[in-house]
Amino acid sequence: MTPDRPAVVESAGIGRVRVTSYRDLRLLVDTYTSHLRDLGIGIGERIILEADVTAQSIAMLLACSAAGLTFIPVSPETPAQRLHSMISTARPALHVQPTDGKRDALPGGVGTARFDTAGITVVERPPTGRSLRREACVTDPAYMIFTSGTTGRPKGVVMSHRAVVSFYRAMLEYRIVTPRDRVASTSPLQFDFSLLNIGLALGSGAAVVPVAQQLVRWPRNFLRVLRETGATQVNGVPSIWQQALRYEPEKVAALDGLRGILFCGEEFPLPELRRIRELLPQVRIINCYGATESMACSFADVPDPLPDDLERLSIGSGHRGAELLLVNEAGHVIDEPGVPGELYLRSPALFSGYWDDPAATRAALVPDPLCPQSGQLVLRTGDVAYRGHDGELYFCGRSDSQVQINGNRVELGEVERRLLEFPGATAAAAVPLPHAASGTVLGGFVVVSNDAPAADAASLREFCADRLPSYMVPREIRLVETLPTTTNGKVDRAALISSAATAG
Ligand SMILES: Nc1ncnc2c1ncn2[C@@H]1O[C@H](COS(=O)(=O)NC(=O)C[C@H](N)c2cccc(Br)c2)[C@@H](O)[C@H]1O
């Protein structure tokens, strides 16, 4: 791309955008890289990069890689206690935040610095130990992302430069964007989805359009920013569309510059996907599946038109150079269609391991079931899927989303799919609820569109009773305005469970 093409296009208030060209971005990367090198931080040391996605924070993460340092992206909203536990786990040499960053009172032993377009200003010098490393190497950790820790203590997912570049190369073969495109990125920097968007845009000579996550909740502003920045591609988790589709459908339909949507992180509620298809018939929609331990591992075009009887979306069969296997409980590979199994992933883009946690790493990176003798390790995803007659894979849910309700095994995704078939339902979540009398009961939370026919808990229960075995019919059903989301924008099931508990 020519150096004066836009690399980052940011909204700078109503009617104003700030453009950073490839040349300016390169200059900023070089400035930050030389400042990092002057700090004498040894190759392989960790840097906590606390920032939203901006031209400067993108330059900073590129500079960390250029200087052979491992960056750990965290959002400014990260609670102090979680940040401190990450610091005690990862022992970073430096914490950097923008000049106007709010973080203070960091634990001792960590250097602190601030950055802006002029460069990096040191506040507390980092401890300078002599690093015995003399060269950076592609197998070194490029970044570390801490999982949300829904299941236990947060784990540091370590991704090498080689894994990231392998993934980027595979993704770019899908020709998702061209140099004329502008890719809106709606995830926080701490979610690897934002790293996909940065790599997709900059790897294609296109521009990144960072969209602050809290902006997504105000559909008018969200859609205004998309229009004013000229976004042609919008990447985000499914929930970013919920409010816009509900309150501003005509403004969604007016996004006539939009050419593509890519989503990942969880299943897209089919009623909302159909709605997007109605409002934006010209848009290519890609379902991107993967776990942070592999960045992503497959891209599948959503069928156009969406068949009326479609029950699930394909997640493809693994991107070029990677392969998804289905393995049964006995550890044998399944190859007949229609039989669910656990997804295992063979890929050059697998993570190096969980930071300082060899046991968890051994549980995730296991011997290749088809040739354990070879030493090749594959990723156990913990996801359940089956292969269709078309050879593509269909996601069924996480293996830990099969819960026991009064001795019966319930796939929560199955209950959610039925709830979504209720006329006017646009989003749904099924969760196990602790119940004083009967241990665990099933709770259902449903969002219905404004113009839905009279929907209430009783009619929803009746609807489910006609379509599901009795043990799969939610005992408690609540109609809600919206579903709570986690910092990464996924449905926050823990919040639903605690809301039901407090509501009594
Ligand atoms: N497209 C789907 N349909 C359905 N279920 C999905 C999809 N993508 C995930 N998931 C679920 O999310 C789990 C993983 O969660 S995660 O570790 O937080 N990572 C993520 O969500 C995001 C993931 N790293 C990712 C995805 C795409 C690009 C990049 Br770059 C990164 C997977 O194991 C699945 O259970």
Side-chain angles (χ1 to χ4, degrees):
M1 85 307 304
T2 53
D4 54 11
R5 288 196 60 79
V8 187
V9 177
E10 296 164 276
S11 168
I14 296 186
R16 291 176 40 240
V17 294
R18 183 181 315 112
V19 179
T20 303
S21 69
Y22 272 87
R23 175 192 298 108
D24 300 347
L25 187 67
R26 172 87 255 176
L27 289 174
L28 208 45
V29 172
D30 293 346
T31 303
Y32 291 163
T33 307
S34 67
H35 287 186
L36 285 171
R37 288 209 174 106
D38 296 349
L39 285 172
I41 300 171
I43 288 176
E45 293 293 323
R46 273 79 52 209
I47 302 260
I48 297 221
L49 170 48
E50 174 168 338
D52 292 318
V53 182
T54 61
Q56 286 80 26
S57 62
I58 291 171
M60 182 56 75
L61 69 86
L62 292 172
C64 288
S65 295
L69 305 173
T70 304
F71 65 89
I72 303 175
V74 297
S75 296
E77 295 75 28
T78 302
Q81 174 268 335
R82 177 173 158 89
L83 178 61
H84 291 198
S85 90
M86 288 162 71
I87 288 175
S88 68
T89 302
R91 319 243 17 99
L94 189 69
H95 171 280
V96 289
Q97 62 180 317
T99 305
D100 58 359
K102 305 279 181 295
R103 187 71 62 179
D104 58 14
L106 285 169
V110 184
T112 56
R114 290 175 178 265
F115 63 93
D116 55 22
T117 49
I120 301 175
T121 309
V122 176
V123 179
E124 300 257 334
R125 284 201 73 73
T128 47
R130 235 171 46 74
S131 163
L132 296 178
R133 281 212 201 298
R134 308 148 79 90
E135 293 290 326
C137 170
V138 294
T139 50
D140 290 343
Y143 67 81
M144 184 192 317
I145 279 188
F146 278 83
T147 58
S148 49
T150 40
T151 52
R153 191 168 58 87
K155 297 193 287 279
V157 176
V158 178
M159 289 299 279
S160 67
H161 295 280
R162 178 168 63 181
V164 177
V165 172
S166 309
F167 168 72
Y168 279 166
R169 288 218 170 99
M171 170 173 65
L172 294 176
E173 286 187 25
Y174 284 83
R175 302 265 177 280
I176 297 169
V177 295
T178 71
R180 283 182 309 285
D181 279 302
R182 295 184 172 190
V183 181
S185 176
T186 61
S187 293
L189 194 61
Q190 68 182 22
F191 191 32
D192 53 355
F193 197 176
S194 62
L195 303 179
L196 174 145
N197 301 328
I198 293 164
L200 175 65
L202 301 187
S204 309
V208 184
V209 176
V211 176
Q213 208 195 6
Q214 48 276 10
L215 185 71
V216 158
R217 283 198 188 83
W218 307 107
R220 278 175 191 259
N221 278 335
F222 174 40
L223 298 167
R224 171 182 57 77
V225 166
L226 293 182
R227 230 183 10 263
E228 290 180 354
T229 54
T232 59
Q233 171 82 22
V234 179
N235 291 5
V237 290
S239 65
I240 68 164
W241 294 102
Q242 200 176 87
Q243 305 298 355
L245 292 173
R246 189 178 170 83
Y247 298 111
E248 305 289 351
E250 67 291 334
K251 284 191 169 53
V252 172
L255 291 171
D256 41 22
L258 198 56
R259 290 179 345 103
I261 286 173
L262 183 144
F263 68 89
C264 83
E266 56 190 353
E267 291 179 276
F268 209 116
L270 289 181
E272 290 186 336
L273 205 51
R274 292 186 193 288
R275 189 80 175 107
I276 287 184
R277 265 276 146 73
E278 282 163 25
L279 298 169
L280 296 164
Q282 81 283 2
V283 163
R284 176 186 183 189
I285 305 177
I286 294 177
N287 178 10
C288 184
Y289 159 80
T292 297
E293 290 82 351
S294 68
M295 283 191 94
C297 60
S298 65
F299 297 87
D301 274 282
V302 171
D304 185 7
L306 266 169
D308 292 345
D309 59 352
L310 187 95
E311 280 259 317
R312 293 172 210 274
L313 292 173
S314 157
I315 54 170
S317 51
H319 61 60
R320 288 277 304 280
E323 184 180 57
L324 281 164
L325 293 164
L326 283 177
V327 178
N328 66 19
E329 269 142 9
H332 302 140
V333 172
I334 301 166
D335 63 359
E336 60 270 27
V339 176
E342 182 175 354
L343 282 169
Y344 281 42
L345 172 66
R346 261 174 53 242
S347 158
L350 294 184
F351 75 132
S352 307
Y354 295 113
W355 179 267
D356 193 21
D357 194 341
T361 303
R362 263 194 308 279
L365 289 175
V366 299
D368 171 10
L370 281 181
C371 185
Q373 307 85 335
S374 69
Q376 175 172 197
L377 297 178
V378 300
L379 174 68
R380 275 194 74 165
T381 64
D383 287 325
V384 178
Y386 65 82
R387 197 177 294 281
H389 290 279
D390 55 5
E392 308 236 324
L393 290 161
Y394 291 82
F395 179 79
C396 298
R398 291 199 59 77
S399 42
D400 53 24
S401 78
Q402 328 253 328
V403 294
Q404 292 298 103
I405 303 284
N406 301 335
N408 296 295
R409 185 185 171 109
V410 172
E411 165 48 57
L412 295 172
E414 203 50 46
V415 180
E416 286 165 8
R417 265 184 286 280
R418 289 290 163 275
L419 286 168
L420 280 172
E421 287 169 357
F422 184 82
T426 58
V431 293
L433 295 179
H435 193 271
S438 39
T440 305
V441 298
L442 208 46
F445 296 83
V446 185
V447 179
V448 292
S449 60
N450 287 349
D451 49 8
D456 59 20
S459 50
L460 268 157
R461 263 184 61 79
E462 201 178 308
F463 181 82
C464 289
D466 293 348
R467 288 161 177 76
L468 287 167
S470 59
Y471 65 85
M472 285 179 78
V473 176
R475 166 87 74 88
E476 321 221 345
I477 291 189
R478 285 201 176 81
L479 288 169
V480 290
E481 196 63 30
T482 175
L483 291 174
T485 53
T486 62
T487 49
N488 289 346
K490 295 193 187 187
V491 173
D492 188 343
R493 295 167 195 287
L496 286 172
I497 292 173
S498 58
S499 75
T502 44

